[in-house]
Amino acid sequence: MANQHSHKLRGIRQIPQDLWDEFEAAAAEMGSDRSDITKRFYEWFVCRPGAQLPDRPEPKQS
């Protein structure tokens, strides 16, 4: 069926909006998106073979 997700949608709770927005911007800066970064972290966390932590952007200079 058109316009349906291939996987069940999952909500993430207790994430402050400012953190959510910073995460989205950082993922975009790295040429990715929140879903891809999160999935890659989950794969690394559960020790899937070949999984690696995603790269992070450089810290902002204050």
Side-chain angles (χ1 to χ4, degrees):
M1 191 175 233
N3 295 326
Q4 284 200 334
H5 295 277
S6 58
H7 299 286
K8 179 181 176 183
L9 294 176
R10 291 164 175 83
I12 299 177
R13 298 181 183 189
Q14 299 182 347
I15 305 294
Q17 188 63 47
D18 63 327
L19 178 56
W20 190 254
D21 295 341
E22 286 181 57
F23 182 40
E24 182 173 27
E29 183 179 328
M30 298 303 293
S32 190
D33 58 49
R34 290 183 311 243
S35 293
D36 183 60
I37 299 291
T38 302
K39 181 177 76 82
R40 291 173 59 198
F41 176 76
Y42 287 177
E43 290 171 340
W44 171 82
F45 194 80
V46 300
C47 303
R48 287 228 172 138
Q52 295 182 352
L53 280 173
D55 292 332
R56 297 188 311 178
E58 292 295 320
K60 304 285 187 226
Q61 299 294 326
S62 36

